[in-house]
Amino acid sequence: MRPQLGKDKILQAALSLFAQNGYHKTSMNEIAKGAGVSKGLTYNYFESKQALLLAIIEQASKKMFDVAEKMSTPSDYKSMLKIFLDQYFLFLKNNKKYLSFQLSLLFQPDLKKIVEGPLQQRAERLLSNTVIMFREAGASNPDLTARRFMSELDGIALHNLSVFKDYPLDEMHTQLFDNYKDLK
Amino acid sequence: MRPQLGKDKILQAALSLFAQNGYHKTSMNEIAKGAGVSKGLTYNYFESKQALLLAIIEQASKKMFDVAEKMSTPSDYKSMLKIFLDQYFLFLKNNKKYLSFQLSLLFQPDLKKIVEGPLQQRAERLLSNTVIMFREAGASNPDLTARRFMSELDGIALHNLSVFKDYPLDEMHTQLFDNYKDLK
DNA sequence: TCAATATGACTGATCAGTCGGTCAATTAAT
DNA sequence: ATTAATTGACCGACTGATCAGTCATATTGA
């Protein structure tokens, strides 16, 4: 059987265009053109535009799970914290467009329905990993500490991605580490 | 001159529909119908759909500035903090749909261009108010403290609005106050 | 009568999704 | 080994629906 050369190209092109111009502003024709294939082929692999979106999210979620696994390599608290923060801020810097796209999905009612399943799963998993980290560090209330930690991280991501100019990302990174390295 | 009964109804209907179904999924026909008015009248008051969106954002920004002013009533730090947090969490509870809508605008490239001006202004203002609060409280680095404080708040808002189920909003509220009432 | 408010049928563009089909490569039958 | 049958990757013109925006016209109040 001939290899499915097109399918992957379509996924890549769609992700790139969705992230750049938004879901609603990207037509299936553009995606096909971007992938160097016909529209028909696109519909041969994906039932609908929404199905294509879901496929993208599931693919990206898998990649992020892999990154999250790196964190859970058992070691002492301070190292885990450092690894986690380094990974998080690195990802933040390298994936601004994709992260914006993902956030846009969560706040558009029609798209939220499609993607909330996989995204929820990913978020809960990340949170529970963080709880474990703080529990091993001997936090008095690891659950709450994890919630606040993740809130602050995601808040930083939000500010960095949205309205604030010249966001001091590196400064926030070092500050966070200093703040959390010795648990109160 | 007859009063512009229609204009306000159009703004209200548009805000409500945008927040409920998203900008792209809301047609000008729906808005007109929702306002009990013809489509032609809508275009009599607003040049385009984008202009209507901008008008909504500017209107809403004014309302939020008023809320922000309440915070800056001069008093002791602990009272200011309490008032600010109470206002913030109250707003969070009462305006979930609108906040989601506003966030969706910031992350859709085509819409971001339209709304980022007013929203940026509002965000910077809120941040600088917070800096003042922490400076008066004698924080060693009020600028950074304010940044982290706002990050955590907006991160909580993000988590509450997006993927997490059964978010413990009230618990976070009291925790934050306890944490910040005596500055480290 | 002048000007503002208001109408809704209409237009042109765009877009998601369809469908009849081509062709190269594999498989099976002779 | 040659050919016939079958598969599925791939194409792009087309359709039906939707939608932003227009305009000729009507209504109403000052």
Side-chain angles (χ1 to χ4, degrees):
Chain A
M1 210 194 307
R2 275 150 71 218
Q4 297 182 171
L5 294 170
K7 191 170 181 178
D8 210 57
K9 281 215 211 128
I10 292 165
L11 281 167
Q12 271 180 255
L15 172 57
S16 165
L17 286 166
F18 283 163
Q20 188 146 69
N21 306 323
Y23 177 83
H24 291 290
K25 281 283 167 186
T26 303
S27 72
M28 293 298 271
N29 264 315
E30 283 177 283
I31 292 169
K33 186 163 274 184
V37 301
S38 70
K39 182 146 65 145
L41 188 64
T42 306
Y43 278 94
N44 186 49
Y45 292 124
F46 304 99
E47 266 202 332
S48 63
K49 195 182 179 185
Q50 293 195 352
L52 174 55
L53 173 63
L54 190 58
I56 287 173
I57 291 299
E58 275 167 350
Q59 199 191 38
S61 281
K62 259 197 201 95
K63 277 189 199 164
M64 289 182 91
F65 273 144
D66 296 344
V67 172
E69 290 313 310
K70 281 191 194 168
M71 182 188 85
S72 55
T73 312
S75 58
D76 64 303
Y77 166 66
K78 228 185 231 179
S79 310
M80 280 173 75
L81 181 68
K82 181 170 166 23
I83 291 169
F84 182 71
L85 283 178
D86 287 353
Q87 289 286 329
Y88 188 94
F89 279 89
L90 187 67
F91 193 83
L92 216 56
K93 276 187 187 174
N94 293 339
N95 298 277
K96 287 184 91 159
K97 245 189 258 174
Y98 174 69
L99 284 171
S100 283
F101 169 57
Q102 199 187 276
L103 282 171
S104 81
L105 298 177
L106 283 175
F107 296 115
Q108 294 179 78
D110 56 323
L111 303 179
K112 182 169 185 173
K113 284 174 207 145
I114 306 172
V115 302
E116 68 184 342
L119 291 186
Q120 212 160 63
Q121 208 187 337
R122 190 208 299 172
E124 307 274 4
R125 173 119 158 233
L126 199 60
L127 182 64
S128 74
N129 273 358
T130 316
V131 171
I132 290 169
M133 182 175 80
F134 285 122
R135 181 173 300 132
E136 286 179 5
S140 61
N141 188 342
D143 223 83
L144 192 77
T145 307
R147 267 245 149 73
R148 291 195 57 191
F149 179 70
M150 289 306 299
S151 290
E152 192 166 356
L153 274 181
D154 288 347
I156 288 167
L158 184 67
H159 285 180
N160 178 50
L161 287 172
S162 62
V163 292
F164 291 104
K165 294 170 179 286
D166 310 316
Y167 195 83
L169 204 57
D170 291 328
E171 202 185 337
M172 297 302 274
H173 184 171
T174 58
Q175 269 292 326
L176 264 180
F177 182 70
D178 283 354
N179 187 198
Y180 275 95
K181 72 176 181 228
D182 305 305
L183 271 189
K184 323 130 241 202
Chain B
M1 210 193 310
R2 276 152 74 216
Q4 296 183 171
L5 294 169
K7 192 170 180 176
D8 210 58
K9 280 214 215 132
I10 293 164
L11 281 168
Q12 271 180 254
L15 172 56
S16 165
L17 286 166
F18 283 162
Q20 188 146 68
N21 305 324
Y23 177 82
H24 290 290
K25 281 283 168 187
T26 303
S27 72
M28 293 299 270
N29 263 315
E30 283 177 284
I31 292 170
K33 187 163 274 185
V37 127
S38 71
K39 181 151 61 150
L41 189 63
T42 305
Y43 277 93
N44 186 49
Y45 292 123
F46 305 98
E47 265 202 334
S48 64
K49 194 183 179 184
Q50 293 196 350
L52 174 55
L53 173 62
L54 191 58
I56 287 173
I57 292 298
E58 275 166 352
Q59 198 191 39
S61 281
K62 263 199 197 92
K63 277 188 198 166
M64 288 182 92
F65 273 145
D66 296 344
V67 172
E69 290 314 309
K70 280 191 193 169
M71 183 188 82
S72 55
T73 312
S75 58
D76 65 303
Y77 166 67
K78 228 184 233 180
S79 310
M80 280 173 75
L81 180 69
K82 182 171 165 25
I83 290 169
F84 182 71
L85 284 177
D86 288 352
Q87 289 285 331
Y88 188 94
F89 278 90
L90 187 67
F91 193 83
L92 216 58
K93 276 188 187 173
N94 292 341
N95 298 278
K96 287 184 91 158
K97 245 189 261 176
Y98 173 69
L99 283 171
S100 284
F101 169 57
Q102 199 187 275
L103 283 171
S104 81
L105 297 176
L106 282 175
F107 296 114
Q108 292 178 81
D110 56 322
L111 303 179
K112 181 169 186 172
K113 285 174 206 146
I114 307 172
V115 302
E116 69 184 341
L119 291 185
Q120 210 161 62
Q121 209 186 335
R122 191 208 299 171
E124 307 276 3
R125 173 118 158 233
L126 199 60
L127 182 64
S128 74
N129 273 358
T130 316
V131 171
I132 291 169
M133 182 173 81
F134 284 123
R135 181 173 299 131
E136 286 179 5
S140 62
N141 188 341
D143 223 83
L144 191 78
T145 309
R147 266 244 149 74
R148 291 195 57 191
F149 179 70
M150 290 305 298
S151 290
E152 191 166 357
L153 273 181
D154 290 347
I156 288 167
L158 183 67
H159 285 180
N160 177 50
L161 286 173
S162 62
V163 292
F164 290 105
K165 294 170 178 283
D166 310 318
Y167 196 82
L169 205 57
D170 291 328
E171 202 184 337
M172 298 302 273
H173 183 171
T174 59
Q175 270 292 327
L176 263 181
F177 183 71
D178 283 354
N179 187 197
Y180 275 95
K181 72 175 182 229
D182 305 305
L183 272 189
K184 325 130 240 202

